[in-house]
Amino acid sequence: DAKTTQPTSMDCAEGRAANLPCNHSTISGNEYVYWYRQIHSQGPQYIIHGLKNNETNEMASLIITEDRKSSTLILPHATLRDTAVYYCIVRGYNYGQNFVFGPGTRLSVLP
Amino acid sequence: DADVTQTPRNRITKTGKRIMLECSQTKGHDRMYWYRQDPGLGLRLIYYSFDVKDINKGEISDGYSVSRQAQAKFSLSLESAIPNQTALYFCATSDLKFGGTDTQYFGPGTRLTVL
């Protein structure tokens, strides 16, 4: 699986958009970009994933650059409940490839 | 995710004891996983199973064993617990979809302390 690089921590004001970057310069053509988050010590929660097109769901938007070497997760209107560690993961679908969780980005949403 | 349950949620045990952590899912997924998380770190894969007859070692399988009793149940055992196995343990499930996506859904976790 490709290695990802994320900032250790970020702050965001409540009600503003939170933009979380991720670099994955060694991503290969069959690897998807996934985002999860973990609130306190709860189980990681799936947010969104994509291959090359931008994606949006009820939780967030995922913007993937044209060369696929980086992506940004956007929480459009961050709330205090969005305070969590956010993990960017790249993963292929070949048999045996599994999720590799790094240290992630600790997002603090401030009142 | 309420569709993935783990028991117990908390467990304190002593060095040398055998411990079993259990995971059940009602999502109907074929694939199941066990991860551990140490304070301040990401998750590391212990074992995974893609169907009832399939068991695979992950990154850190030493000191652990698993059993896939049914599609819905995947148990993790520590044959002789040691203090450095103190961690949060998470079970996850997934189902490979057409086109290759394989989103994992996690249980609430088991906090294990080995004294």
Side-chain angles (χ1 to χ4, degrees):
Chain A
D1 290 333
K3 181 178 175 62
T4 63
T5 305
Q6 299 177 250
T8 302
S9 64
M10 296 180 63
D11 292 339
C12 176
E14 188 177 19
R16 305 297 295 270
N19 295 280
L20 291 91
C22 179
N23 287 317
H24 31 81
S25 59
T26 59
I27 192 170
S28 60
N30 68 350
E31 289 182 320
Y32 288 77
V33 180
Y34 285 81
W35 283 85
Y36 282 78
R37 72 181 183 184
Q38 187 175 23
I39 298 172
H40 296 299
S41 297
Q42 299 175 21
Q45 178 188 22
Y46 166 75
I47 301 173
I48 199 167
H49 74 282
L51 184 62
K52 54 184 178 181
N53 297 321
N54 297 338
E55 302 287 345
T56 296
N57 64 20
E58 65 279 4
M59 290 183 67
S61 295
L62 173 60
I63 308 299
I64 302 174
T65 58
E66 190 170 348
D67 63 8
R68 303 208 325 123
K69 292 184 177 182
S70 66
S71 60
T72 301
L73 177 74
I74 301 172
L75 308 179
H77 304 286
T79 71
L80 299 179
R81 289 176 294 180
D82 292 321
T83 293
V85 177
Y86 287 77
Y87 298 99
C88 169
I89 303 161
V90 293
R91 179 179 184 275
Y93 55 77
N94 294 331
Y95 185 88
Q97 291 195 20
N98 290 288
F99 283 90
V100 177
F101 284 78
T105 295
R106 182 172 297 277
L107 175 68
S108 298
V109 180
L110 308 175
Chain B
D1 191 313
D3 297 325
V4 183
T5 58
Q6 294 184 233
T7 56
R9 295 294 313 278
N10 288 282
R11 182 71 184 268
I12 300 174
T13 190
K14 295 183 179 180
T15 298
K17 294 291 188 181
R18 184 179 189 274
I19 297 295
M20 179 179 287
L21 309 182
E22 300 190 359
C23 177
S24 295
Q25 52 112 349
T26 58
K27 299 184 78 68
H29 288 171
D30 287 327
R31 299 180 169 194
M32 298 187 74
Y33 310 79
W34 276 104
Y35 291 87
R36 75 175 268 177
Q37 185 176 35
D38 295 284
L41 300 179
L43 280 70
R44 292 184 292 169
L45 184 65
I46 306 172
Y47 271 97
Y48 60 101
S49 169
F50 283 177
D51 64 42
V52 175
K53 298 179 181 179
D54 178 71
I55 299 290
N56 303 282
K57 293 183 177 181
E59 179 187 355
I60 53 165
S61 59
D62 287 348
Y64 302 94
S65 63
V66 291
S67 173
R68 184 81 184 268
Q69 302 95 322
Q71 186 203 38
K73 295 185 183 295
F74 193 35
S75 300
L76 176 71
S77 293
L78 288 67
E79 297 301 325
S80 179
I82 56 177
N84 75 0
Q85 290 178 313
T86 294
L88 265 175
Y89 290 84
F90 292 103
C91 174
T93 75
S94 71
D95 196 19
L96 185 63
K97 295 285 190 283
F98 179 79
T101 59
D102 188 15
T103 301
Q104 293 189 13
Y105 299 91
F106 287 79
T110 293
R111 184 176 296 279
L112 177 66
T113 303
V114 183
L115 301 177

